[in-house]
Amino acid sequence: MKLKIFAFFFLSAIATLSLSCRKAELLQPEPVKIIQLNVTGASSVELEYLYKDSVIAAPPAGGINVKTLLTVKDQHADLKIRKKGSTEILLSRTITAAPFDQYISIFYDGTKIYNSSISLLIKGYALAGELEFLIDGNVFLSGTGSINNTSPILIDKGTKREITVRKKGETDILLAKTIDATSNSQSINFFYDGIKIVDNVSLNPPVNPANMMVSAKFETLFAPQFKNVDVDLVFYTRLKPQSTAAYASAGTKVQPELRLTLLKDGTFSQIELPPLPDANYIYSFDIVEKGTDNVPYTTTSAPFVLAAYPFKPNQGRYGEINFEAGKSRLFVINDTKNILANTRSTYFSGKVTDLSQYFR
């Protein structure tokens, strides 16, 4: 009997001690954690930031730079983002008790929230017509002539978006360019001749600073008499012409021979021109079929009236390129004819259009 009474009191003591410990644990307050939330980015509309059902920030549209202290009693809580005046939650992010500094990037275009943005430089020249630049079918930039614009392109990390280019009023795509989030700064450098667009146009300095770098493409004014072939510019030197009649004389072919192949697809090709004998000289050139000394024309009939100044191949009577050491030039080269004043005669020349200023 005494043993039973002892066992009862022993078990009662253990139970009492256990309940006491549990009450002590229940009375221990949950530690409060404080974190600093940093929200950066941009939005085209005003947004509200809610935490525990209270608005903690509502910056105006434009750049976002929110920095605030938050308490986290539980292991986590949610930050919610919505348009001002709306109940629809655009984004919900978990806020944890650690680390102290927590960062969120928000880029909102009024339709979708992205977590990243890249800076897209669009630089080039539209020789004819107006171009439109689109993303997801929406025009974000248009222009003609010289175009030099930097636009933010919203994108999620690890994804890609496509930029397309078309002529205003038309639906055909002239150029499609894929943009990803791997680089914060990207560019589209183009030249548009009114029909075709060329991408990745750039001005590269000459390897030898004593030389001049020339990037060029060729366009004929004489289709369909002109064959659809790749052409070579074969370079000559000559004294600066004092009059039109000076083109009646031949130039001196550069030795060793310098050839620059210009492709019929309209892309730009490059060559370094060495220094001229002195400042009284210029570069001129012949336009011939690639790899030959043959004129790339199929006829010498009209409009090729070869009278006072007949076309003479292999004499370097085309064009005029002034040399500048260490410089880079971007040329569109045309064959052309000039009608002499008060006569019916024509002579051939090479029209050189310098677009360098639009790509610096």
Side-chain angles (χ1 to χ4, degrees), residues 59-307:
I64 298 172
N65 188 11
V66 174
K67 181 179 288 188
T68 185
L69 296 175
L70 300 177
T71 59
V72 185
K73 289 186 178 181
D74 304 316
Q75 289 301 310
H76 66 272
D78 289 333
L79 174 77
K80 297 178 182 179
I81 303 173
R82 69 188 181 193
K83 288 183 184 179
K84 186 175 182 179
S86 172
T87 58
E88 179 186 0
I89 300 301
L90 300 172
L91 182 70
S92 181
R93 286 289 185 88
T94 297
I95 304 300
T96 58
F100 173 73
D101 275 305
Q102 299 185 36
Y103 298 88
I104 297 176
S105 293
I106 301 294
F107 297 91
Y108 185 55
D109 61 5
T111 303
K112 179 183 175 181
I113 285 184
Y114 298 86
N115 61 20
S116 184
S117 174
I118 67 103
S119 178
L120 179 65
L121 171 64
I122 298 177
K123 191 170 187 177
Y125 195 84
L127 192 63
E130 184 174 356
L131 295 178
E132 293 181 329
F133 298 81
L134 304 88
I135 187 165
D136 295 339
N138 298 312
V139 176
F140 68 92
L141 176 67
S142 63
T144 188
S146 176
I147 299 174
N148 189 345
N149 175 270
T150 301
S151 297
I153 301 297
L154 308 189
I155 190 170
D156 283 324
K157 294 178 181 177
T159 66
K160 298 179 179 180
R161 300 190 78 181
E162 187 176 70
I163 307 295
T164 56
V165 186
R166 70 186 182 194
K167 190 174 181 179
K168 186 174 183 178
E170 299 182 3
T171 58
D172 292 342
I173 300 302
L174 298 170
L175 176 69
K177 187 86 169 181
T178 299
I179 303 297
D180 59 35
T182 57
S183 175
N184 291 332
S185 297
Q186 300 178 46
S187 63
I188 297 176
N189 300 303
F190 73 94
F191 172 74
Y192 178 61
D193 63 10
I195 300 175
K196 302 183 298 296
I197 194 167
V198 181
D199 188 21
N200 298 323
V201 180
S202 60
L203 281 177
N204 299 315
V207 175
N208 184 345
N211 296 342
M212 183 174 83
M213 177 69 79
V214 169
S215 300
K217 71 185 296 289
F218 176 72
E219 294 182 352
T220 180
L221 304 179
F222 295 129
Q225 291 88 356
F226 193 92
K227 295 178 184 177
N228 184 27
V229 295
D230 299 335
V231 301
D232 283 345
L233 297 189
V234 181
F235 287 92
Y236 290 72
T237 63
R238 62 187 305 132
L239 287 168
K240 290 183 177 179
Q242 302 300 315
S243 67
T244 301
Y247 279 103
S249 62
T252 302
K253 183 183 285 190
V254 177
Q255 295 296 335
E257 184 180 82
L258 289 179
R259 281 181 180 254
L260 175 61
T261 298
L262 303 181
L263 304 178
K264 60 187 176 184
D265 65 5
T267 55
F268 283 84
S269 301
Q270 293 185 334
I271 193 171
E272 286 195 26
L273 299 180
L276 288 164
D278 59 53
N280 294 316
Y281 281 81
I282 61 166
Y283 276 107
S284 62
F285 49 83
D286 272 344
I287 299 173
V288 297
E289 286 190 36
K290 179 183 176 182
T292 75
D293 290 325
N294 301 324
V295 181
Y297 293 95
T298 59
T299 180
T300 56
S301 62
F304 306 109
V305 183
L306 310 179

